[in-house]
Amino acid sequence: MPVAVPQLGSYKYVPETKENLDWADLVTIDLSLYHTPEGKKQLADTLIHALREKGFFYVKNFNISQERVDRQFGLGKEFYELPLEEKRKYTPEGLDQGQFNGYVPAGRRVIDKESGLRDHVEVYNMPKFNGDFNHDNHPQLILDNLPEIEEFARSLHTEVLDPLHVLLAIALELPEDYFLNLHKYEVKSEDHLRYMKYSKYTPEENKKLRNWAEGHTDLGSFTLLFRQPVAALQIRYHSTNEWKWVKPQDATLTVNSCDALQFLTGGYVKSTVHRVTVPPADQQHVDRLGLLYFSRPNNHVRLATVKESPVLQREGYTQNDFETSGNPVPTMEEWTFAKQKWQRTRGYTQDPKHQNATILPGFKERAYA
């Protein structure tokens, strides 16, 4: 049951854009169908097609009320209203080496080389509440609301991620608990709940920018993105490489597949390329606040292709990049901190040497326009 919570200020969503954008055509996983064998089979088929064709999809009817979601947005808003010197107290040591829990300040990257313009992205990450991580070192605002935040984060596992992992297993003709066993909440992993803020740029700055964040893939299993109405997220279709806008849908989550699933399925499920571009003109005057959850396999899981899947065997997806190259297959922990270190690199990140860097032997990153 949701915990008793302190009073928060109200959170108001900005109006949606009135521009007619080239929206992505994404399917919706309706979890109200999950509770019968027939419904599970239908959803598993829908999920695997969504993952193979687009890599992004919506989820609805996931048993978390809009009120609880709104409160998390409210907390995120209040956190970012704290003075910068207060937020900086919670920047992790070792940020340049891949540490990421806590506060990551804006301005670490030059996103326009000619003008020297730096990014406006702030991040606050909160790890799992399973006993492996210290939750004493948060701002008082977070500490005051920590039981509610924990309940919310745990609900994302039981109400969203666990069903998605079961559906993926069914689609790959594996035991239903196969991916559940790789993503146990009580076992250490680098999952985190994130409040994320893209502060607005001036009209003059936006004219210089192509994107606020360049094309990239996420490093875990699934990323959950709660609806927020500033249009800026774009995805690249697997089949055509076209960029499409992702439309915010009421009472839904937007979900995408990530690197770990690509490794575990030998590329049958692809990690989805996405970017944050300059919003349409009627939304460029507001900040963009995000609420996200990043799911990752347990740290000890080795990211080898799942050999037990009849589907992967039949379709010929039996080796990932590490296996094909003959290099050691990393654990999820090794992969996480190698890619996080690359992601946290300071400076001008459109440098080709950075964009095409070797994350671990056997895997090179690549540039996504």
Side-chain angles (χ1 to χ4, degrees), residues 300-363:
H300 69 275
V301 172
R302 199 160 292 280
L303 296 175
T305 305
V306 174
K307 307 301 184 190
E308 300 91 329
S309 168
V311 173
L312 299 184
Q313 292 293 327
R314 285 197 305 270
E315 298 293 330
Y317 291 85
T318 58
Q319 289 191 316
N320 61 34
D321 290 348
F322 299 109
E323 294 162 318
T324 301
S325 67
N327 284 285
V329 177
T331 64
M332 188 63 213
E333 183 175 27
E334 291 167 340
W335 171 251
T336 296
F337 287 100
K339 186 159 183 179
Q340 285 283 176
K341 182 178 179 179
W342 173 82
Q343 289 177 327
R344 298 297 178 209
T345 300
R346 288 176 175 269
Y348 182 68
T349 53
Q350 291 178 350
D351 185 332
K353 290 182 180 179
H354 173 75
Q355 290 183 323
N356 300 300
T358 296
I359 305 300
L360 285 173
F363 186 92

Side-chain angles (χ1 to χ4, degrees), residues 145-324:
N145 292 276
L146 205 59
E148 180 184 7
I149 295 169
E150 176 177 355
E151 189 277 334
F152 184 78
R154 286 179 175 273
S155 293
L156 294 178
H157 262 260
T158 58
E159 305 297 339
V160 183
L161 292 167
D162 284 355
L164 290 179
H165 288 138
V166 168
L167 295 175
L168 179 59
I170 293 171
L172 296 180
E173 299 176 15
L174 292 163
E176 287 193 6
D177 64 353
Y178 190 93
F179 291 105
L180 294 179
N181 291 332
L182 305 185
H183 297 82
K184 292 181 178 178
Y185 194 84
E186 64 271 17
V187 178
K188 189 174 184 180
S189 65
E190 305 302 326
D191 295 36
H192 53 275
L193 181 70
R194 172 180 293 182
Y195 303 145
M196 188 172 192
K197 183 180 181 183
Y198 289 84
S199 293
K200 60 183 176 289
Y201 295 82
T202 67
E204 293 73 26
E205 289 171 334
N206 276 321
K207 289 177 183 177
K208 299 175 184 177
L209 295 175
R210 183 174 60 173
N211 297 302
W212 284 3
E214 292 297 314
H216 64 281
T217 62
D218 295 342
L219 65 87
S221 299
F222 289 114
T223 299
L224 311 181
L225 171 66
F226 282 88
R227 176 207 181 270
Q228 61 79 33
V230 178
L233 176 63
Q234 292 184 335
I235 68 169
R236 198 178 80 170
Y237 279 5
H238 294 320
S239 55
T240 65
N241 288 336
E242 295 175 278
W243 288 100
K244 302 282 187 178
W245 296 78
V246 177
K247 188 175 181 62
Q249 301 275 20
D250 288 342
T252 66
L253 280 162
T254 303
V255 183
N256 64 282
S257 53
C258 311
D259 297 347
L261 289 188
Q262 178 167 304
F263 295 140
L264 290 168
T265 65
Y268 187 72
V269 171
K270 292 181 174 61
S271 191
T272 315
V273 181
H274 54 288
R275 66 188 182 188
V276 179
T277 195
V278 178
D282 60 356
Q283 291 186 320
Q284 290 183 16
H285 62 290
V286 295
D287 298 329
R288 183 175 185 266
L289 182 65
L291 173 63
L292 305 93
Y293 191 91
F294 295 86
S295 169
R296 296 167 178 177
N298 299 136
N299 279 4
H300 69 275
V301 172
R302 199 160 292 280
L303 296 175
T305 305
V306 174
K307 307 301 184 190
E308 300 91 329
S309 168
V311 173
L312 299 184
Q313 292 293 327
R314 285 197 305 270
E315 298 293 330
Y317 291 85
T318 58
Q319 289 191 316
N320 61 34
D321 290 348
F322 299 109
E323 294 162 318
T324 301

Side-chain angles (χ1 to χ4, degrees), residues 24-28 54 56-58 235 237 246-247 249 254:
D25 181 19
L26 303 180
V27 302
T28 300
K54 307 284 175 57
F56 266 77
F57 55 94
Y58 300 113
I235 68 169
Y237 279 5
V246 177
K247 188 175 181 62
Q249 301 275 20
T254 303

